[in-house]
Amino acid sequence: MKQLLSFCLLYLVLPLHAALTLPPFFSDHMVLQRDKPITIWGETTPDTPITISLDRQTQTIQSGATGHWKAILPAQPAGGPYTLTIKIPESTRTIEDIYLGDVWVFSGQSNMQVSFDYYLTLPNLPESWRQHFQTTLDTCGREQHVRHYMVATRDRNGQTIRNQAENRWYGNQGEFVRHCNPIAWHFAREVAHKTGVTTAAVRIAWGGQYIERFYNGADIYNYMLKPWGDFPIRGVIWYQGENNLHKDGDRLAYALKLQLLIRDYRRLWHDPQLPFYIVQLPPARYSEQPFNDENSLPLFLEAQRQVLALPHTAMANTSDLGMTNGLHQYQKYDLAIRLANIAFANSYGFTDAIPAGPQFNSFRIEADKIRVEFETFGSTLTTRDGQPPAFFEIMSAGKNQPFLPAQARIEGNSVLLWNESVSKPYDVRFAFREQDLMQVNLTNTENIPAATFWARATNQLHPGLKSE
């Protein structure tokens, strides 16, 4: 009886000794960030020796008193495919087809979450766009160095897995790619093609959510973002704001809110210089919503622009990529190209990349005129229709003065503005009505429109936070 009891106890204990738990993203086909120390971690029984091997790097450690363990392997250049093995005395875990490359996180709300499949199943999608999305899926099999991971939505109430592609790495398989976000997929493909490096898009997004839910301490942060904190990445692409724009009083306050978010993301990934690239909200009929008017969207876009005062940030202009009958614009490829060019210019050092359309730099008063200087990122100012720039307004100094339309003339990388009724100009703004945004004719030579702005004697309406 004693021998039988001892055997039964041993039988019960063995599975506990053999337990080895890893985060779900440590799995086949994953991409690890090149040129940064590689952190591998998990759980097992306390005080257990663990040997981790990747390519020619091997490290032996021991789990702590709670069973948690973490190994940090030296940084490695791009390459692969490799195999990762994790050994404990009773078992070995093998993870295959691993590449060292670049990992980009795509975060925000629905425009960063919706998939190719979403568009292909829209009943009113124009046939030309249906063919465009389908052609992408038909050709994805040629993309050997593009990988994806889509984090399933999870909050304090649990996790919702919507399709077979969530919570797993995948590459060029069409049945998985159809569930991928088009912005993320096209961006990763463009970067992989131009750099020759395997590029991964990790989607951590949830439709219909306020920015506050992504903050440190909030549920999306805790359950979807925080698990990735020790997984090095190359940068973040952020597309969010539709919900906050609808919230009365949130428009200019969004400048500070987004700076708080950037601080949280940079702390999470232990990188105060983590690139953070923002999608400026494309035009839509926001003015038809409660609490909104024709200036609500431009005010919100101005708040997004002000965030560029933080270092290692950039913004994709999108005033020509909007639509009047919804928020999920079809032009995801065009947006992805603009974001990729931002990355090429700022993260990869490609001098031939034009990262954005013209953006406000500064202005000065010249007698009864205002001269607005633009940052053109190596391009030049022009108009797409050959006419003078439209939708500039200036204001006289003094109390309760109205904005008046300004005549405009391009001079190099600046625009000179005047109005015969304004003898002492003070404020200037551009494309500051919702209906004007999609009609902006001021562009660079690459036909990317100038971004809306509102500037006064001090350039920023919010001082914001200092970079850490």
Side-chain angles (χ1 to χ4, degrees):
M1 182 60 71
K2 289 182 179 179
Q3 289 179 337
L4 179 61
L5 181 60
S6 298
F7 176 79
C8 291
L9 289 173
L10 179 63
Y11 180 79
L12 291 172
V13 169
L14 276 176
L16 294 178
H17 283 298
L20 181 62
T21 303
L22 301 173
F25 41 79
F26 288 122
S27 56
D28 291 348
H29 317 303
M30 73 174 173
V31 177
L32 298 170
Q33 181 58 48
R34 60 172 170 150
D35 302 325
K36 292 186 178 182
I38 300 165
T39 305
I40 311 292
W41 68 94
E43 305 285 339
T44 187
T45 51
D47 304 316
T48 297
I50 305 152
T51 300
I52 301 97
S53 299
L54 177 67
D55 192 21
R56 292 183 290 266
Q57 303 288 342
T58 298
Q59 186 176 132
T60 299
I61 60 172
Q62 184 167 300
S63 62
T66 63
H68 180 76
W69 57 269
K70 180 187 292 187
I72 301 178
L73 302 177
Q76 297 187 44
Y82 300 129
T83 298
L84 172 67
T85 58
I86 304 170
K87 296 181 181 180
I88 58 176
E90 296 84 3
S91 66
T92 299
R93 180 74 62 85
T94 300
I95 302 173
E96 298 180 331
D97 191 34
I98 298 170
Y99 277 83
L100 271 294
D102 285 339
V103 181
W104 288 86
V105 165
F106 292 77
S107 196
Q109 57 182 107
S110 60
N111 269 297
M112 202 61 93
Q113 184 183 28
V114 294
S115 63
F116 284 105
D117 197 56
Y118 165 87
Y119 288 103
L120 287 169
T121 55
L122 279 178
N124 58 344
L125 182 70
E127 185 57 30
S128 60
W129 282 105
R130 191 178 309 279
Q131 292 177 4
H132 167 78
F133 289 121
Q134 187 60 55
T135 299
T136 300
L137 296 182
D138 293 340
T139 60
C140 72
R142 296 198 293 265
E143 307 302 334
Q144 300 298 319
H145 294 287
V146 179
R147 302 284 174 97
H148 304 275
Y149 191 99
M150 297 191 298
V151 177
T153 56
R154 183 184 177 188
D155 59 14
R156 62 178 59 90
N157 297 315
Q159 181 173 259
T160 300
I161 297 179
R162 303 169 188 266
N163 58 66
Q164 61 182 337
E166 291 189 324
N167 285 357
R168 65 181 295 173
W169 288 99
Y170 61 95
N172 53 5
Q173 306 97 318
E175 68 273 21
F176 294 141
V177 172
R178 71 182 298 110
H179 298 295
C180 182
N181 178 264
I183 302 170
W185 191 88
H186 285 299
F187 176 95
R189 184 188 67 174
E190 293 300 313
V191 172
H193 283 191
K194 193 171 182 71
T195 64
V197 172
T198 299
T199 305
V202 175
R203 190 202 69 188
I204 309 178
W206 195 339
Q209 307 304 319
Y210 291 93
I211 190 174
E212 290 86 347
R213 291 191 69 188
F214 294 84
Y215 284 171
N216 179 10
D219 52 355
I220 291 178
Y221 180 94
N222 286 331
Y223 296 107
M224 296 174 65
L225 286 158
K226 190 175 180 179
W228 290 81
D230 286 326
F231 196 101
I233 63 173
R234 188 67 188 255
V236 175
I237 310 294
W238 176 255
Y239 190 165
Q240 189 276 340
E242 297 91 339
N243 267 52
N244 287 84
L245 189 152
H246 289 312
K247 189 177 180 182
D248 193 27
D250 241 23
R251 281 139 215 160
L252 285 176
Y254 191 83
L256 182 58
K257 292 185 176 187
L258 185 51
Q259 289 177 79
L260 289 168
L261 180 96
I262 294 171
R263 182 193 65 179
D264 282 347
Y265 275 52
R266 287 175 172 173
R267 284 180 174 175
L268 174 64
W269 272 287
H270 318 291
D271 186 353
Q273 299 182 344
L274 182 71
F276 197 99
Y277 301 144
I278 304 158
V279 177
Q280 196 173 44
L281 288 191
R285 288 181 174 172
Y286 293 104
S287 59
E288 298 176 359
Q289 302 299 319
F291 306 113
N292 286 6
D293 58 28
E294 64 179 4
N295 297 130
S296 296
L297 177 59
L299 281 169
F300 190 87
L301 302 185
E302 170 62 13
Q304 289 184 299
R305 185 190 71 82
Q306 290 178 14
V307 175
L308 302 182
L310 285 181
H312 310 291
T313 60
M315 182 180 70
N317 305 353
T318 61
S319 65
D320 59 335
L321 303 182
M323 59 192 301
T324 58
N325 60 347
L327 300 179
H328 298 151
Q329 297 80 8
Y330 307 144
Q331 307 98 315
K332 304 305 185 189
Y333 173 75
D334 303 275
L335 176 55
I337 293 297
R338 292 181 189 180
L339 290 166
N341 278 321
I342 288 174
F344 294 147
N346 295 284
S347 296
Y348 294 99
F350 287 103
T351 57
D352 62 337
I354 304 298
Q359 292 182 0
F360 172 82
N361 186 27
S362 64
F363 79 95
R364 64 180 180 269
I365 297 170
E366 298 180 355
D368 59 349
K369 298 179 177 61
I370 286 181
R371 183 178 300 277
V372 177
E373 299 284 347
F374 283 86
E375 172 60 68
T376 57
F377 306 101
S379 186
T380 56
L381 287 180
T382 187
T383 56
R384 60 165 48 101
D385 56 6
Q387 299 299 311
F391 308 122
F392 281 95
E393 298 172 291
I394 59 176
M395 178 194 291
S396 291
K399 187 177 181 180
N400 298 324
Q401 295 296 313
F403 273 104
L404 298 175
Q407 293 180 269
R409 181 173 67 239
I410 295 175
E411 295 184 355
N413 284 339
S414 70
V415 176
L416 190 65
L417 306 171
W418 69 94
N419 181 298
E420 292 181 357
S421 300
V422 178
S423 59
K424 295 181 179 180
Y426 178 73
D427 277 20
V428 57
R429 66 185 188 182
F430 170 65
F432 230 73
R433 292 181 178 83
E434 182 180 273
Q435 63 184 6
D436 298 339
L437 286 167
M438 293 183 68
Q439 304 177 62
V440 166
N441 68 341
L442 181 63
T443 69
N444 60 11
T445 50
E446 287 70 31
N447 203 34
I448 303 175
T452 186
F453 70 89
W454 176 15
R456 48 179 50 173
T458 55
N459 291 346
Q460 303 298 325
L461 302 182
H462 285 290
L465 300 177
K466 293 183 178 179
S467 179
E468 298 183 31

